[in-house]
Amino acid sequence: MSGWLDGRRALVVGAGSGIGRAVVAAFTAEGARVAALELDPVKAGELDCPVVVGDATTRAANEEAVAAAVAAYGGLDVLVNCVGVFDFYQGVSELDADRLDEAFEEMFAVNVKSHLHSVKAALPALRDSRGSIVLTESTSAYYPGRGGVLYVSSKYAVRGLVTALAHELAPEIRVNGVAPGGTLNTDLRGLGSLGLDGRRLNDTPGRAAELAGRVPLRVALSGADHAWSYVFLASTRSGGVTGGVVHTDGGMGVKG
Ligand SMILES: NC(=O)c1ccc[n+]([C@@H]2O[C@H](COP(=O)([O-])OP(=O)(O)OC[C@H]3O[C@@H](n4cnc5c(N)ncnc54)[C@H](O)[C@@H]3O)[C@@H](O)[C@H]2O)c1
């Protein structure tokens, strides 16, 4: 049986855990050849594909990862970015003014600049292949209350990247987003600049029941529930779609 991504060559940035890890598994199951960029060397060591260990907020790491993918597979058809960090719902009232600059810079470097750097580094290879880019948004970019002021504004920025890049890069390259709802069994961390990097969103007490309770479909989603939407957007079956977003969020939009 043929896979949806047979012959496709993909780079997944932030592939070591959570949604990115599920994307690697789904892409591989659908016949893609996958390479990865991951910050954490332990997670990188667990991946069964060519991996560059590096910081996706930097130009150098992204250029190295694209070069490694092209060297391994002879080109690149798909770029996925799943890098992200959280702010544990801190509002502007709670944010310490002394830490605001550093927290803003960290949030926007990880959640936004990493996405832009990976796109920039992959452009020549994706132009050659007339490829596809899938960036990771969030329900936070569509509904209030799904993060603090820094996280929400960073995810609106990723939403903006999808629109701006889809407009700019057509017709050669398609650019779409996936906007996951709250997700179980990921390693999503808080901002180091706010002293929250030891805290995992997944460890919130009662999270599974809370996630299921907040959406019409009554589901607590896992990485795999999102990964098949990345497969669709990466495949030629979505060949007419650019500047779009798949809302894998249990139906937030029909909550009423
Ligand atoms: N977990 C949720 O509830 C949820 C909901 C909506 C959207 N998201 C978004 O989904 C994406 C994936 O989140 P996740 O929950 O799977 O978290 P995760 O922490 O499990 O996955 C992120 C991966 O990126 C890696 N990473 C982090 N910073 C990096 C950097 N600078 N360079 C390279 N790699 C880096 C991490 O080590 C990890 O492997 C993020 O953009 C997040 O904002 C998550």
Side-chain angles (χ1 to χ4, degrees):
M1 223 175 76
S2 63
W4 281 41
L5 298 177
D6 277 346
R8 305 282 274 176
R9 302 155 299 185
L11 173 63
V12 180
V13 180
S17 61
I19 296 169
R21 182 79 170 258
V23 167
V24 172
F27 274 34
T28 305
E30 289 298 327
R33 287 173 289 166
V34 181
L37 171 59
E38 169 57 47
L39 181 65
D40 183 328
V42 176
K43 293 179 185 177
E46 291 165 2
L47 288 168
D48 192 17
C49 67
V51 193
V52 166
V53 177
D55 182 351
T57 67
T58 67
R59 170 185 175 180
N62 283 288
E63 288 181 349
E64 192 188 338
V66 169
V70 170
Y73 303 133
L76 191 67
D77 304 292
V78 180
L79 169 72
V80 172
N81 196 317
C82 290
V83 165
V85 67
F86 196 56
D87 64 0
F88 286 92
Y89 305 100
Q90 281 205 19
V92 66
S93 322
E94 296 150 76
L95 269 176
D96 183 342
D98 291 334
R99 292 189 174 194
L100 198 149
D101 286 327
E102 214 187 323
F104 181 90
E105 273 149 32
E106 183 183 359
M107 180 62 85
F108 276 74
V110 177
N111 285 13
V112 188
K113 193 168 74 172
S114 77
H115 282 52
L116 191 54
H117 262 314
S118 62
V119 169
K120 182 72 179 166
L123 264 190
L126 292 175
R127 278 214 168 95
D128 283 351
S129 65
R130 298 184 76 87
S132 173
I133 295 171
V134 189
L135 302 182
T136 305
E137 305 183 18
S138 168
T139 48
S140 310
Y142 296 88
Y143 309 103
R146 303 270 50 91
V149 65
L150 294 176
Y151 186 75
V152 168
S153 53
S154 77
K155 288 300 182 177
Y156 266 82
V158 179
R159 182 179 171 184
L161 283 181
V162 169
T163 301
L165 292 168
H167 174 72
E168 180 192 334
L169 300 179
E172 287 92 3
I173 302 171
R174 295 187 302 111
V175 187
N176 292 289
V178 175
T183 305
L184 285 181
N185 302 324
T186 87
D187 195 35
L188 191 64
R189 302 278 171 158
L191 289 166
S193 52
L194 296 181
L196 297 171
D197 46 333
R199 195 164 156 196
R200 280 199 331 164
L201 182 59
N202 191 61
D203 297 337
T204 309
R207 182 160 166 81
E210 197 264 318
L211 289 180
R214 81 160 75 130
V215 295
L217 291 179
R218 298 283 178 259
V219 284
L221 298 162
S222 68
D225 294 315
H226 309 300
W228 301 106
S229 295
Y230 289 81
V231 167
F232 170 64
L233 292 171
S235 78
T236 52
R237 293 183 180 188
S238 60
V241 183
T242 197
V245 59
V246 179
H247 295 271
T248 53
D249 61 10
M252 290 284 287
V254 291
K255 211 164 142 187

